[in-house]
Amino acid sequence: MNKQEIRKKIKQIKRQFSESQLKELSLPIIKKLFLSPTIQKANTIGLYYSLPDEVDTHDLIDILLQKGKKIILPKVIDDSNIEMREYSNSKDMEVGSYHIQEPIGKIFENYSSIDVIIVPGVAFDNQGNRLGRGKGYYDRFLKKIPATKKIGICFDFQMIEQIPTEKNDIPMDDIITN
């Protein structure tokens, strides 16, 4: 399958679940992620504020913040790029590009201090390859933080045998599923 066919197939599978069912399926993934040594040791964590069809990260973000972690979230700044912004609470969010909740906090530029980044995806494979939504925002950003540990999180049905890759695609170091 090519990338568009994979996106279409995963979208069809996701439609079989209600938003509340996906939230329920998110719980074991978030628990594994939270208990992972990488997250426990990390000081600065890049996360994403999930959409209704993604692994739900909202509670995790607030829990990690309460544990004293610095949380940074992406904000789309133009047709090609995201920047990271510091998150301090849910009031620091507004609807931004693509109708996504985005942070309005202080711009975060100390990329070398990011210990781990949690990356969403449409699909992943066992070689760590990731298929995003097709705009390349994450791949461009991940190039700026080559030493940072990259963890993809997804539902079991988003794991496929092989993702077609291109030279610009950045693989994950680890993938956590339910």
Side-chain angles (χ1 to χ4, degrees):
M1 283 193 288
N2 67 34
K3 289 182 176 187
Q4 282 309 109
E5 291 168 334
I6 295 168
R7 287 185 185 102
K8 186 177 178 182
K9 179 183 178 192
I10 297 297
K11 191 174 190 176
Q12 288 172 339
I13 295 170
K14 281 183 177 180
R15 283 192 185 130
Q16 297 171 19
F17 297 92
S18 69
E19 190 175 328
S20 62
Q21 287 172 316
L22 290 176
K23 275 183 183 265
E24 190 71 26
L25 289 173
S26 297
L27 295 174
I29 301 165
I30 294 302
K31 184 176 181 179
K32 284 181 203 175
L33 179 63
F34 178 75
L35 294 174
S36 74
T38 302
I39 294 296
Q40 292 296 311
K41 289 184 223 163
N43 294 312
T44 301
I45 302 171
L47 262 155
Y48 66 96
Y49 206 77
S50 55
L51 294 169
D53 70 338
E54 295 175 324
V55 174
D56 187 346
T57 60
H58 299 188
D59 290 342
L60 175 67
I61 289 168
D62 289 326
I63 291 167
L64 291 171
L65 189 68
Q66 290 168 8
K67 295 262 182 215
K69 310 288 186 183
K70 179 175 283 205
I71 303 300
I72 56 174
L73 303 175
K75 177 176 178 63
V76 174
I77 56 172
D78 60 36
D79 288 344
S80 304
N81 298 291
I82 55 176
E83 67 185 8
M84 297 307 262
R85 298 269 182 135
E86 291 186 33
Y87 174 86
S88 59
N89 63 58
S90 60
K91 292 181 181 81
D92 277 357
M93 304 297 285
E94 68 182 10
V95 176
S97 301
Y98 308 105
H99 306 289
I100 297 170
Q101 286 285 325
E102 295 181 326
I104 57 173
K106 189 171 92 176
I107 294 173
F108 183 86
E109 295 175 324
N110 186 7
Y111 294 165
S112 64
S113 72
I114 303 172
D115 298 302
V116 61
I117 186 164
I118 310 308
V119 185
V122 172
F124 296 88
D125 67 23
N126 287 324
Q127 294 75 49
N129 297 309
R130 171 187 165 275
L131 177 65
R133 294 186 186 258
K135 299 282 188 185
Y137 288 108
Y138 270 96
D139 290 316
R140 279 188 289 281
F141 181 76
L142 294 174
K143 278 186 173 59
K144 299 175 185 178
I145 54 170
T148 300
K149 181 156 181 145
K150 298 154 197 63
I151 300 176
I153 58 175
C154 68
F155 302 110
D156 285 343
F157 60 79
Q158 291 175 277
M159 290 297 294
I160 66 169
E161 192 171 317
Q162 186 174 13
I163 303 271
T165 58
E166 297 165 20
K167 64 179 174 65
N168 292 329
D169 295 333
I170 305 290
M172 300 294 100
D173 297 308
D174 196 8
I175 299 165
I176 297 175
T177 67
N178 52 333

